[in-house]
Amino acid sequence: MGYKVVVAGATGNVGREMLNILAERQFPVDEIAALASRRSLGTEVSFGDKTLKTQDLDTFDFSGWDIALFAVGSGPTKEYAPKAAAAGCVVIDNSSLDRYDPDVPLVVPECNPEAVEGYAKKNIIANPNCSTAQMVVALKPLHDRAKIKRVVVSTYQSVSGSGKEAIDELWDQTKAIYNPTDDREPKVYTKQIAFNVIPHIDVFMEDGSTKEEWKMVVETKKIIDPAIKVSATCVRVPVFVGHSESINIEFEDHLDEEEARDILREAPGIMVIDKREDGGYVTPIECVGDYATFISRIRQDSTIDNGLNLWCVSDNLRKGAALNAVQIAETLGKRVLKKG
Ligand SMILES: NC(=O)c1ccc[n+]([C@@H]2O[C@H](COP(=O)([O-])OP(=O)(O)OC[C@H]3O[C@@H](n4cnc5c(N)ncnc54)[C@H](OP(=O)(O)O)[C@@H]3O)[C@@H](O)[C@H]2O)c1
């Protein structure tokens, strides 16, 4: 006996990947429903070799369904996730709505799988922000060995992190550069994204940081250790899929680069590609469609006592969103629901 699974946001970037990953990983599905807005009623989406017709989230009855993977953004999540949860369906949510609620576990299965067991207070489990997810996969095994004091991270985030309209915006602006009569004004972003970089993701906070940067700080603390200090600068770059991060880590104990490389090679969810030669590192285009978080450029930071630098790349639609959500469902299944 398997699970009755709902994917809400099935016509979006993350929802489509959720359906792909559920099929690829052979998640024990007895029945599956693909939901989106009324605009997409009847739109066909793929689930393995099957085609599903999209249903309307607004009128869907969650009674009798086991797990709902949500990827619809905070507004619709606020309206529909509590309805699903009240009907007894466990919601695994990709929006930021409930991530900081102490009654909602925030889970990256490589880091804090045991946290899923706290799902029952609200029947909701939160998935972290895409840039946090890949970073904590890299940080956790190093923290377990040498205790991280402080992290300074700069991100290079792809446009797919802003939804399907942002992908169109990069594509249209890029074409318009070569055909200037075809003028494309920025709509999703505040400035041109084609052939440019934008040091601004999500809204500005009072202290001058952005909400995306704040999320990396708060989520790292909730997932790994409240004592870790994080300083983040989040930047949007003209890449379609795959987020990159330059990470500087200061440890309490000494950790040399060789040992760090060995630890990361053994750690779950990580692939180390670090050859110190031309092309001996991973770029975002190479991680698209992969499950792993790729680590390259591991090297000592000689300007502090116990410091390391590394380069971290992952598919933001997979580990940053859909894969992590399916891994949470797998962990919930193994530890709690025990079907399939
Ligand atoms: N992309 C990432 O890297 C990433 C990473 C982590 C978390 N997330 C989060 O995941 C969520 C989805 O992101 P995305 O990139 O997949 O966005 P997207 O490509 O724009 O897709 C949005 C999905 O939500 C549906 N939707 C929107 N409003 C709705 C409503 N009122 N009722 C029902 N369905 C509605 C859309 O359906 P229609 O097609 O019918 O409009 C579509 O299926 C967001 O909360 C985002 O913050 C994204």
Side-chain angles (χ1 to χ4, degrees):
M1 205 171 67
Y3 297 94
K4 289 182 69 173
V5 179
V6 176
V7 173
T11 52
N13 288 329
V14 174
R16 284 179 194 271
E17 282 294 355
M18 284 170 164
L19 289 166
N20 291 337
I21 291 169
L22 286 165
E24 279 168 25
R25 293 170 75 92
Q26 299 182 325
F27 188 81
V29 170
D30 271 359
E31 199 177 336
I32 188 150
L35 312 182
S37 75
R38 194 161 301 150
R39 297 179 290 274
S40 307
L41 192 67
T43 300
E44 293 189 341
V45 291
S46 300
F47 173 60
D49 53 12
K50 294 193 186 78
T51 301
L52 309 174
K53 281 210 161 56
T54 311
Q55 303 176 55
D56 182 4
L57 171 60
D58 189 44
T59 51
F60 188 78
D61 180 1
F62 285 89
S63 317
W65 292 81
D66 299 302
I67 297 172
L69 305 177
F70 264 64
V72 294
S74 294
T77 301
K78 193 169 187 178
E79 187 172 354
Y80 300 109
K83 287 187 186 164
C89 178
V90 183
V91 173
I92 299 173
D93 179 31
N94 269 269
S95 81
S96 57
L97 184 70
D98 293 312
R99 283 182 200 155
Y100 317 109
D101 181 335
D103 290 340
V104 172
L106 178 64
V107 179
V108 172
E110 290 87 346
C111 301
N112 60 342
E114 67 292 341
V116 294
E117 287 162 28
Y119 79 100
K121 284 188 187 150
K122 293 217 164 150
N123 245 8
I124 298 176
I125 301 174
N127 204 65
N129 184 45
C130 39
S131 42
T132 309
Q134 68 185 69
M135 182 171 80
V136 294
V137 168
L139 295 184
K140 176 71 165 84
L142 301 175
H143 183 62
D144 287 346
R145 159 64 183 80
K147 209 154 197 280
I148 295 173
K149 283 164 65 175
R150 177 169 184 255
V151 175
V152 181
V153 56
S154 299
T155 70
Y156 305 72
Q157 297 181 224
S158 68
V159 297
S160 57
S162 320
K164 52 193 178 181
E165 285 164 14
I167 293 182
D168 293 342
E169 182 151 312
L170 173 58
W171 177 245
D172 292 340
Q173 280 182 6
T174 305
K175 285 189 297 181
I177 299 281
Y178 294 104
N179 183 10
T181 53
D182 194 12
D183 191 27
R184 301 286 173 165
E185 286 302 311
K187 285 196 198 104
V188 176
Y189 298 115
T190 51
K191 303 217 178 198
Q192 176 184 314
I193 184 64
F195 300 94
N196 201 9
V197 296
I198 305 174
H200 170 197
I201 302 183
D202 210 332
V203 297
F204 276 90
M205 315 277 291
E206 261 185 24
D207 68 355
S209 61
T210 63
K211 185 104 185 263
E212 187 84 352
E213 291 157 357
W214 176 85
K215 286 174 193 167
M216 290 190 81
V217 175
V218 177
E219 294 176 18
T220 302
K221 288 175 183 290
K222 184 164 174 179
I223 295 164
I224 306 184
D225 185 340
I228 297 177
K229 293 177 184 164
V230 179
S231 175
T233 302
C234 294
V235 180
R236 191 69 70 190
V237 296
V239 166
F240 284 107
V241 179
H243 287 0
S244 308
E245 296 174 347
S246 159
I247 308 177
N248 175 265
I249 312 165
E250 185 176 359
F251 297 95
E252 211 144 291
D253 305 327
H254 181 73
L255 177 62
D256 69 45
E257 58 190 29
E258 286 307 325
E259 191 182 350
R261 196 171 287 114
D262 289 344
I263 289 169
L264 291 168
R265 275 206 184 99
E266 295 302 314
I270 290 178
M271 181 82 78
V272 174
I273 311 259
D274 190 16
K275 287 200 183 136
R276 296 190 173 183
E277 62 188 35
D278 292 354
Y281 43 80
V282 170
T283 59
I285 215 160
E286 295 157 290
C287 76
V288 176
D290 232 300
Y291 289 158
T293 292
F294 292 90
I295 308 292
S296 308
R297 308 284 327 275
I298 303 164
R299 62 207 191 278
Q300 223 79 48
D301 173 3
S302 57
T303 65
I304 48 175
D305 282 345
N306 301 316
L308 277 181
N309 286 306
L310 52 85
W311 175 247
C312 171
V313 180
S314 198
D315 182 331
N316 53 294
L317 298 177
R318 292 203 152 211
K319 187 59 202 170
L323 170 63
N324 197 69
V326 173
Q327 287 176 299
I328 292 174
E330 290 169 349
T331 309
L332 183 75
K334 273 193 212 112
R335 286 181 174 252
V336 184
L337 305 179
K338 301 195 166 134
K339 282 192 190 177

